[in-house]
Amino acid sequence: MTASPSEPTAAPASPGPHPHPRPRPRADRARQVAEVLRRQIASGAFPSGVLPDERSLIADHGASRNTVREALGVLRDEGVVERRQGVGTVIRRRTYEHTLERLTGLAETLSAYGRVSNEVRVADVLRPPREVARKLCVPDDGQVVYIERLRRLGDDPLSLDLTYLTTDIGRPLLDADLAGRDLFSLIEESVGGPLGSASVTVHAVNADPGTSALLGTPPGQAVFTVERLTRMPDGRPVDLEFLRVRGDRLAFRAELGRGTGVPDSPTGDNR
Amino acid sequence: MTASPSEPTAAPASPGPHPHPRPRPRADRARQVAEVLRRQIASGAFPSGVLPDERSLIADHGASRNTVREALGVLRDEGVVERRQGVGTVIRRRTYEHTLERLTGLAETLSAYGRVSNEVRVADVLRPPREVARKLCVPDDGQVVYIERLRRLGDDPLSLDLTYLTTDIGRPLLDADLAGRDLFSLIEESVGGPLGSASVTVHAVNADPGTSALLGTPPGQAVFTVERLTRMPDGRPVDLEFLRVRGDRLAFRAELGRGTGVPDSPTGDNR
């Protein structure tokens, strides 16, 4: 049996119940190449900012010239790369990876890549929506601190963060450097100790026009919406955040174990 | 000081360096309401499938009628809800949450909601792309098993999964029930023990036309692209997957600790 390239077109090399006599559409093969390239770009595999030339890509992926071209077209349409005359295919934008395995702030994660600054749009004390009150264990007629920030790496918007804090935790922050710092580290300085755990849920949605305008993306850009409920070490919820994060600038990364996870969220409603 | 509703419009209730004398645009306030509602819908807070009426939403969110209407408009544009004459605002689609804190398969996670079935598009032995060979520690001229499956919950496409397996792990799977089962459980049955850990990276991108057609979404739909490298308990990588997951059907959930994460990926290139 000859080692076939990565373009399966005929019957399986091993006898089995899944014969595939029809040739695979080029779009399918191009997608295979594009997935691998996107990950290589995101992980910093091409430090020069230029992709290998077509001949190398053909060899690396065991793919035809047309398949490689179509794969590059997919990444071009996504705004990841562009053709530059006399240079080749260059990376337009790095996507930075934000860890999900520890509770870290954005500035903390991205410090190697540049300065994160925050435009403070709201910093106020207000009565929370009922659902927010419930999650923060605040009485329905109680108050919370609400902070809304547009976060940038250098000049580029990264995320729009809506944060509700219990007043004991939030009030001291109203006088803090909200424009320059992560809330996590501000809170930890303020309480004099580390935060506990957090429950995080990540959705992918198409940005509404208002969010697109704020984040400086085309309308409908894929963005993450993240809900993060952070607790003190004793389990008391203190910080509920709703983040909208540009999908073309940030990705999330986690290390998982099989069967070694922590139990479901104690509130029982984050399923 | 009167407890204001969740629409901060004037100076902060607490003296601080962040006065906000200008009224907030309604789009901002609507976004606040929409974020909370989206999360409630995703977590199953409205089991009847109908949202509370406008009056209740106004009270729950401390928002004006116009703000609530605009928030519902955002969710309608995202395809999450629709107005139904004589009924109210109904949920069009549940987004199911897939845990990121343990290594679980899709069918395993979604068993409570319906049957996951897989259309096996490819199941073959082939020579992998160079980058895939590197990650699976296979020689450049070696082979891998490639499995491509379109996964559905009931009749609805959920994800397109491209999987590269080392041949020792993958070959026995070519004769297994790839149409009905999660790969994780098939592998564990085949090797007679549990898998080890995995490194996962999650991006949000707008689906290319080919992916949209396969997943049954409008062009440009926000989808997750997930790379997952799974290892045996001894650390040997055996399974590299590239998943495209409909953002309107699945979300990811994780529990994080502050400073309790596992160290960076041993391959060192998944940052």
Side-chain angles (χ1 to χ4, degrees):
Chain A
M1 190 180 64
T2 314
S4 58
S6 75
E7 302 202 350
T9 53
S14 144
H18 307 289
H20 291 277
R22 64 205 150 98
R24 299 187 72 213
R26 189 195 298 150
D28 286 2
R29 292 175 275 134
R31 188 177 303 113
Q32 259 184 283
V33 174
E35 297 293 1
V36 173
L37 280 175
R38 183 189 301 100
R39 283 295 311 142
Q40 287 185 284
I41 292 168
S43 64
F46 309 114
S48 70
V50 183
L51 259 52
D53 63 20
E54 207 171 74
R55 190 183 302 262
S56 306
L57 292 176
I58 289 168
D60 287 352
H61 292 267
S64 72
R65 180 178 308 271
N66 283 337
T67 299
V68 164
R69 286 185 179 171
E70 190 163 329
L72 294 175
V74 166
L75 296 176
R76 210 159 44 230
D77 290 346
E78 288 177 8
V80 176
V81 300
E82 64 187 7
R83 288 257 347 136
R84 205 168 290 164
Q85 194 68 34
V87 182
T89 300
V90 302
I91 298 167
R92 282 185 57 189
R93 213 166 25 224
R94 248 313 273 288
T95 307
Y96 299 103
E97 295 184 2
H98 190 59
T99 181
L100 268 183
E101 69 225 25
R102 273 153 302 167
L103 192 54
T104 54
L106 203 57
E108 202 175 331
T109 299
L110 300 181
S111 59
Y113 304 112
R115 208 176 78 84
V116 171
S117 64
N118 313 303
E119 177 187 322
V120 181
R121 300 169 46 112
V122 183
D124 205 350
V125 179
L126 49 78
R127 209 171 98 200
R130 198 179 301 260
E131 173 70 4
V132 171
R134 192 179 69 74
K135 291 209 164 173
L136 289 176
C137 301
V138 167
D140 270 358
D141 59 353
Q143 295 194 312
V144 296
V145 167
Y146 177 68
I147 295 171
E148 187 175 309
R149 306 192 300 175
L150 180 62
R151 313 198 69 183
R152 291 188 176 87
L153 177 66
D155 291 333
D156 291 339
L158 284 180
S159 73
L160 178 67
D161 295 8
L162 281 49
T163 305
Y164 299 89
L165 300 157
T166 57
T167 50
D168 62 315
I169 298 295
R171 274 191 195 274
L173 269 49
L174 292 173
D175 300 316
D177 178 18
L178 294 173
R181 302 275 305 275
D182 285 335
L183 290 187
F184 286 156
S185 57
L186 288 174
I187 293 173
E188 291 183 336
E189 267 180 32
S190 165
V191 303
L195 284 162
S197 61
S199 302
V200 180
T201 313
V202 180
H203 290 249
V205 306
N206 295 92
D208 61 274
T211 301
S212 298
L214 277 171
L215 292 180
T217 69
Q221 168 79 43
V223 295
F224 293 108
T225 65
V226 180
E227 184 197 58
R228 180 164 57 184
L229 179 65
T230 304
R231 302 179 200 86
M232 299 300 285
D234 66 4
R236 182 171 68 95
V238 294
D239 173 0
L240 178 62
E241 302 185 310
F242 298 92
L243 322 177
R244 304 209 136 206
V245 182
R246 277 177 66 162
D248 59 342
R249 301 306 312 278
L250 276 183
F252 293 100
R253 185 167 55 90
E255 293 287 316
L256 321 184
R258 176 84 171 159
T260 60
V262 291
D264 279 345
S265 148
T267 63
D269 64 353
N270 277 323
R271 306 210 43 178
Chain B
M1 187 179 62
T2 314
S4 57
S6 75
E7 302 201 348
T9 52
S14 143
H18 307 288
H20 291 276
R22 63 204 149 98
R24 298 186 73 212
R26 189 194 298 150
D28 287 1
R29 292 174 274 133
R31 188 178 303 112
Q32 258 183 282
V33 174
E35 296 293 1
V36 173
L37 279 176
R38 182 188 303 101
R39 283 295 310 140
Q40 288 185 283
I41 291 167
S43 64
F46 309 114
S48 70
V50 183
L51 260 51
D53 63 20
E54 207 171 76
R55 191 184 300 264
S56 307
L57 291 176
I58 290 168
D60 287 352
H61 292 267
S64 72
R65 180 177 310 271
N66 283 338
T67 298
V68 164
R69 286 185 179 171
E70 190 162 329
L72 294 176
V74 167
L75 296 176
R76 209 159 45 229
D77 290 347
E78 288 177 7
V80 176
V81 299
E82 65 186 6
R83 288 254 353 131
R84 206 168 291 163
Q85 194 69 33
V87 182
T89 300
V90 303
I91 298 167
R92 281 186 58 189
R93 212 168 22 226
R94 244 321 267 290
T95 307
Y96 299 102
E97 294 185 359
H98 190 60
T99 182
L100 267 183
E101 69 224 25
R102 272 154 304 169
L103 192 54
T104 54
L106 204 57
E108 202 176 332
T109 299
L110 300 181
S111 59
Y113 305 113
R115 208 176 79 84
V116 171
S117 64
N118 312 304
E119 177 187 323
V120 182
R121 296 166 47 91
V122 184
D124 205 350
V125 180
L126 49 77
R127 209 172 97 200
R130 197 179 301 260
E131 173 70 4
V132 171
R134 194 179 67 76
K135 291 210 165 174
L136 288 176
C137 300
V138 167
D140 270 0
D141 58 353
Q143 294 194 312
V144 295
V145 167
Y146 177 66
I147 295 171
E148 187 175 310
R149 306 191 300 174
L150 180 62
R151 313 198 68 183
R152 292 188 175 87
L153 178 65
D155 291 333
D156 291 339
L158 284 180
S159 73
L160 178 67
D161 295 10
L162 280 52
T163 305
Y164 299 89
L165 300 157
T166 56
T167 48
D168 61 316
I169 299 294
R171 275 193 196 273
L173 269 50
L174 292 173
D175 300 315
D177 178 18
L178 294 173
R181 302 274 307 275
D182 285 336
L183 289 186
F184 286 156
S185 57
L186 286 175
I187 293 173
E188 292 183 337
E189 267 180 32
S190 164
V191 303
L195 284 161
S197 61
S199 301
V200 180
T201 312
V202 180
H203 289 249
V205 307
N206 295 93
D208 61 275
T211 301
S212 298
L214 276 171
L215 292 179
T217 70
Q221 169 78 43
V223 295
F224 293 107
T225 64
V226 179
E227 184 198 57
R228 181 165 56 185
L229 179 65
T230 304
R231 303 180 200 85
M232 299 301 284
D234 66 3
R236 183 170 69 95
V238 294
D239 172 2
L240 178 61
E241 301 184 309
F242 298 92
L243 322 177
R244 304 209 137 205
V245 182
R246 277 177 65 163
D248 60 342
R249 301 307 311 280
L250 275 183
F252 294 100
R253 186 167 53 90
E255 292 286 315
L256 320 185
R258 176 82 171 160
T260 60
V262 291
D264 280 345
S265 149
T267 63
D269 63 352
N270 277 322
R271 306 210 42 177

